[in-house]
Amino acid sequence: MNGQVQIGTSQKKLLKNVVMMDGTGALPKACDVLVEGDRIAKIESQLEIASYPNCEVLDCQGLTLTPGFIDVHTHDDAQVLLNPSMLAKVSQGVTTVITGNCGLSLVPLITNHPQSPLDLLHTKEFKYGRLSEYAKAIESAKPSVNVGVLIGHTTLRAVCMSDFEKAASQDEVAAMTQHLDLALQEGALGLSSGLFYQLAAAANEEEMKALSRVVGQHGGVYVTHMRSEMDSIIEAMHEAADTAQAGRVPWILSHHKCAGPKNWGRTIETLALLDRISQQQEVGLDAYPYNAGSTLLRVDLVDGVIPILITRSESHPEMAGRYLKDIAKQWHLSEQDACLKLMPGGACYFQMHEEDVRRVLQHPLTMIGSDGLPHDERPHPRLWGAFAKVLAHYCRDEKLFSLPQAIHKMTGLSAKRFGIKDRGVIQVGAYADLVLLDPHKVQDKATYDHPHQMCEGIHKVLLNGQWSFDNGKVTGHGSGKFLKRNGA
Ligand code: ZN
Ligand code: CU
């Protein structure tokens, strides 16, 4: 990069000579961009430096300017409070994270003994009975990202029910809808569910549809980690779509995959179904760019065929980073029994086919969500690499889509789908959440062996008009905000 660079906290910033990709998918444009306070003030082919005294001027020759990336699928609920610098995300250009996915949210549960799968958030302290209290905690933690919040159905069950083996009674449904209604009033983006997981699996149609109708009254979204991503995926898709339709809310299919060798290739079928559903109702989906999933250690996912890499184990932490097959051999056990011995814990499951990954990423409705698990000792590399890998590998090297399209999947599409107002696009009046990157050099570095590697090629990140990341470091301005649905 040429020119003098003065990084400061000036209220005005003039970004000269950028190649702008505005987040809508439109073709790139060479221009200058002026930021005033937390907003984008001007976008013109040329803005004269002399006209802007007391302005931080940055010559961005050779760099691409994009909206800040929105990580639509995270489990950062506790992370934004405990580790607000959020380096894994900020270093990739992420300016907003959406928490509360897969049915698991910190709000509105109060407990010191979260049951599995709520332990996936990896905190023992669930202490926010209302979204407004969590929002206050976010504002005082000053994270380096904005935070939008989904309310988890599993969390609602944990608040309102005692016997999770059953569908909720009428009274329990009423209690859940009350909590959900309040959270939506306080700005939640919508409801998420994870019927795949224990604690939620017994939920029936009535329970889910009652909650969906509450979401519909507020104009939120319904986001699903479906009951099945394996053999019964088609049934699971119909169930999720029907639930959303009951509330007339958009349905968002989380981390879409066809898991297990028996189901490889079936994204042809699932995406065709999704296209058909999208003609009747609003639909979205998200994905991460890897052929391994990652979740809790579960013996039902151990099929003896796919490789399974341990990311953490409470009973045997020293086994993090090793393959289950090798551990089983060492212990003279079956893979299932070794898994039981390692539980509770987490793992990466190499359960997808590359062709399916590509097909899903390429779908025009697919947004990028990392699904990173920030607390695992040896996390899946998607935590530090998902966005960079889409840009480097799938966009630049494999040419799965153009760069403006790749950016759109991380910004404009995501903001629109989730009701995040005035972000995800570079427009006069929009918030100045911006990324300066070098598309030729951007590169993910995190691997399964070395998952904590920062990506390359992201030069600077602006968050609400303040630098959040510069030259490999988080700046510490911590200007992240709690984002209410539709900016309400
Ligand atoms: Zn999930
Ligand atoms: Cu998830």
Side-chain angles (χ1 to χ4, degrees):
M1 190 164 57
N2 305 318
Q4 81 283 42
V5 177
Q6 234 191 351
I7 287 292
T9 50
S10 166
Q11 282 298 93
K12 278 190 196 176
K13 295 172 178 70
L14 178 54
L15 309 177
K16 293 283 296 171
N17 308 315
V18 300
V19 173
M20 176 178 82
M21 297 194 190
D22 68 3
T24 66
L27 290 175
K29 198 172 142 190
C31 59
D32 294 348
V33 173
L34 180 72
V35 171
E36 268 185 34
D38 61 359
R39 304 270 182 160
I40 295 162
K42 281 186 183 173
I43 304 167
E44 281 174 29
S45 56
Q46 213 177 350
L47 291 165
E48 290 305 326
I49 296 176
S51 313
Y52 302 97
N54 304 321
C55 181
E56 183 183 333
V57 179
L58 203 66
D59 182 356
C60 306
Q61 194 75 48
L63 294 181
T64 295
L65 185 73
T66 75
F69 303 154
I70 298 171
D71 190 349
V72 297
H73 193 111
T74 86
H75 297 286
D76 289 331
D77 304 55
Q79 185 77 355
V80 291
L81 304 178
L82 300 173
N83 189 4
S85 73
M86 299 293 292
L87 183 61
K89 298 294 169 74
V90 182
S91 57
Q92 293 184 71
V94 171
T95 53
T96 293
V97 298
I98 295 177
T99 66
N101 275 283
C102 299
L104 314 170
S105 60
L106 210 50
V107 180
L109 179 64
I110 298 182
T111 182
N112 290 323
H113 302 283
Q115 287 190 55
S116 181
L118 287 160
D119 57 345
L120 203 125
L121 299 182
H122 210 78
T123 178
K124 294 264 182 275
E125 286 186 34
F126 282 62
K127 53 183 182 187
Y128 304 103
R130 285 182 65 159
L131 182 58
S132 54
E133 293 163 12
Y134 179 58
K136 253 187 230 158
I138 290 169
E139 304 266 323
S140 58
K142 295 189 187 304
S144 294
V145 289
N146 301 312
V147 185
V149 178
L150 296 165
I151 298 299
H153 163 246
T154 299
T155 300
L156 291 174
R157 288 193 126 222
V159 174
C160 303
M161 295 177 69
S162 45
D163 183 356
F164 304 110
E165 303 299 316
K166 290 187 191 152
S169 68
Q170 265 187 0
D171 287 350
E172 287 164 337
V173 169
M176 286 196 272
T177 54
Q178 245 179 35
H179 278 285
L180 180 60
D181 185 68
L182 180 61
L184 287 158
Q185 281 176 44
E186 294 183 338
L189 302 176
L191 172 73
S192 82
S193 71
L195 301 183
F196 165 75
Y197 289 108
Q198 201 191 334
L199 256 64
N204 63 12
E205 206 183 298
E206 263 166 77
E207 175 179 337
M208 300 316 295
K209 287 185 175 173
L211 293 170
S212 172
R213 282 190 279 269
V214 178
V215 178
Q217 287 158 15
H218 295 272
V221 292
Y222 177 52
V223 185
T224 60
H225 179 157
M226 299 187 300
R227 202 180 280 284
S228 170
E229 295 177 316
M230 302 179 94
D231 305 7
S232 310
I233 189 163
I234 297 291
E235 293 83 340
M237 287 176 73
H238 283 297
E239 179 186 23
D242 288 352
T243 301
Q245 188 60 354
R248 309 236 170 270
V249 299
W251 166 44
I252 299 168
L253 197 184
S254 293
H255 43 59
H256 184 36
K257 63 175 82 71
C258 288
K262 263 170 70 191
N263 298 300
W264 287 350
R266 291 187 69 197
T267 53
I268 294 177
E269 200 186 326
T270 58
L271 292 174
L273 174 59
L274 196 90
D275 286 337
R276 282 202 300 281
I277 294 172
S278 74
Q279 285 163 11
Q280 317 295 326
Q281 61 191 92
E282 280 187 72
V283 168
L285 70 161
D286 64 67
Y288 46 81
Y290 297 86
N291 69 350
S294 185
T295 185
L296 302 171
L297 261 177
R298 270 176 60 152
V299 78
D300 62 329
L301 298 178
V302 179
D303 64 0
V305 179
I306 58 165
I308 297 172
L309 177 65
I310 305 302
T311 55
R312 92 186 138 84
S313 161
E314 277 179 35
S315 54
H316 294 276
E318 74 282 4
M319 293 302 180
R322 293 191 57 193
Y323 282 90
L324 182 62
K325 191 163 65 121
D326 300 334
I327 300 168
K329 214 185 213 171
Q330 185 183 326
W331 285 348
H332 304 289
L333 291 175
S334 68
E335 284 191 41
Q336 277 90 353
D337 286 339
C339 173
L340 288 169
K341 202 170 153 182
L342 290 161
M343 282 166 64
C348 292
Y349 302 86
F350 291 80
Q351 59 193 170
M352 288 171 254
H353 194 278
E354 178 63 19
E355 281 304 315
D356 287 317
V357 174
R358 295 167 67 102
R359 213 174 277 126
V360 171
L361 286 172
Q362 215 169 11
H363 192 278
L365 294 177
T366 301
M367 302 169 274
I368 306 305
S370 72
D371 203 4
L373 299 171
H375 308 282
D376 281 2
E377 263 140 56
R378 294 280 297 251
H380 187 301
R382 66 194 184 187
L383 176 67
W384 287 81
F387 287 81
K389 186 174 177 191
V390 169
L391 296 175
H393 180 68
Y394 287 109
C395 175
R396 183 189 59 220
D397 300 344
E398 295 285 309
K399 303 193 171 36
L400 217 53
F401 26 64
S402 71
L403 187 55
Q405 283 168 331
I407 299 297
H408 180 56
K409 288 172 173 295
M410 305 174 172
T411 59
L413 181 63
S414 318
K416 202 166 165 202
R417 182 70 299 154
F418 277 88
I420 295 173
K421 207 178 161 218
D422 293 335
R423 298 183 197 269
V425 285
I426 304 183
Q427 266 168 14
V428 171
Y431 286 98
D433 289 353
L434 298 167
V435 180
L436 278 165
L437 61 90
D438 183 341
H440 306 290
K441 299 229 173 94
V442 68
Q443 192 62 53
D444 58 301
K445 290 284 170 184
T447 62
Y448 293 97
D449 286 339
H450 299 284
H452 296 277
Q453 304 292 316
M454 204 191 296
C455 71
E456 291 174 356
I458 305 293
H459 283 236
K460 292 184 191 335
V461 182
L462 205 58
L463 175 69
N464 293 308
Q466 304 238 33
W467 297 110
S468 61
F469 181 78
D470 176 30
N471 209 5
K473 291 203 172 74
V474 170
T475 62
H477 288 314
S479 50
K481 292 191 175 140
F482 169 71
L483 302 186
K484 287 189 176 176
R485 186 186 66 262
N486 295 323

mmCIF file of all heavy atoms in Angstrom, residues 73 75 102 255 371, ligand 2:
data_model
loop_
_atom_site.group_PDB
_atom_site.id
_atom_site.type_symbol
_atom_site.label_atom_id
_atom_site.label_comp_id
_atom_site.label_asym_id
_atom_site.label_seq_id
_atom_site.Cartn_x
_atom_site.Cartn_y
_atom_site.Cartn_z
ATOM 1 N N HIS A 73 -23.726 -17.434 11.528
ATOM 2 C CA HIS A 73 -23.913 -18.627 12.360
ATOM 3 C C HIS A 73 -22.768 -18.735 13.365
ATOM 4 O O HIS A 73 -21.683 -19.210 13.050
ATOM 5 C CB HIS A 73 -23.980 -19.885 11.493
ATOM 6 C CG HIS A 73 -24.473 -21.065 12.265
ATOM 7 N ND1 HIS A 73 -25.685 -21.653 12.044
ATOM 8 C CD2 HIS A 73 -23.932 -21.741 13.307
ATOM 9 C CE1 HIS A 73 -25.868 -22.645 12.895
ATOM 10 N NE2 HIS A 73 -24.808 -22.721 13.670
ATOM 11 N N HIS A 75 -21.592 -19.322 17.744
ATOM 12 C CA HIS A 75 -21.895 -19.701 19.127
ATOM 13 C C HIS A 75 -21.043 -18.809 20.019
ATOM 14 O O HIS A 75 -20.451 -19.258 20.994
ATOM 15 C CB HIS A 75 -21.630 -21.192 19.319
ATOM 16 C CG HIS A 75 -22.533 -22.024 18.460
ATOM 17 N ND1 HIS A 75 -23.866 -22.184 18.749
ATOM 18 C CD2 HIS A 75 -22.329 -22.672 17.286
ATOM 19 C CE1 HIS A 75 -24.437 -22.927 17.802
ATOM 20 N NE2 HIS A 75 -23.520 -23.222 16.896
ATOM 21 N N CYS A 102 -28.633 -22.772 16.516
ATOM 22 C CA CYS A 102 -28.803 -24.207 16.812
ATOM 23 C C CYS A 102 -29.674 -24.449 18.045
ATOM 24 O O CYS A 102 -29.548 -25.489 18.709
ATOM 25 C CB CYS A 102 -27.444 -24.903 16.976
ATOM 26 S SG CYS A 102 -26.427 -24.824 15.503
ATOM 27 N N HIS A 255 -26.191 -24.295 8.469
ATOM 28 C CA HIS A 255 -25.066 -25.151 8.043
ATOM 29 C C HIS A 255 -25.531 -26.331 7.191
ATOM 30 O O HIS A 255 -25.369 -27.494 7.574
ATOM 31 C CB HIS A 255 -24.234 -25.630 9.225
ATOM 32 C CG HIS A 255 -25.000 -26.085 10.449
ATOM 33 N ND1 HIS A 255 -25.910 -27.100 10.424
ATOM 34 C CD2 HIS A 255 -24.963 -25.640 11.726
ATOM 35 C CE1 HIS A 255 -26.401 -27.279 11.638
ATOM 36 N NE2 HIS A 255 -25.853 -26.406 12.447
ATOM 37 N N ASP A 371 -19.986 -21.069 12.087
ATOM 38 C CA ASP A 371 -20.310 -22.115 13.074
ATOM 39 C C ASP A 371 -19.092 -22.440 13.928
ATOM 40 O O ASP A 371 -18.979 -23.542 14.469
ATOM 41 C CB ASP A 371 -20.851 -23.386 12.373
ATOM 42 C CG ASP A 371 -21.699 -24.236 13.310
ATOM 43 O OD1 ASP A 371 -21.943 -23.824 14.465
ATOM 44 O OD2 ASP A 371 -22.098 -25.337 12.889
HETATM 45 CU CU CU B 2 -24.135 -24.101 15.172
#
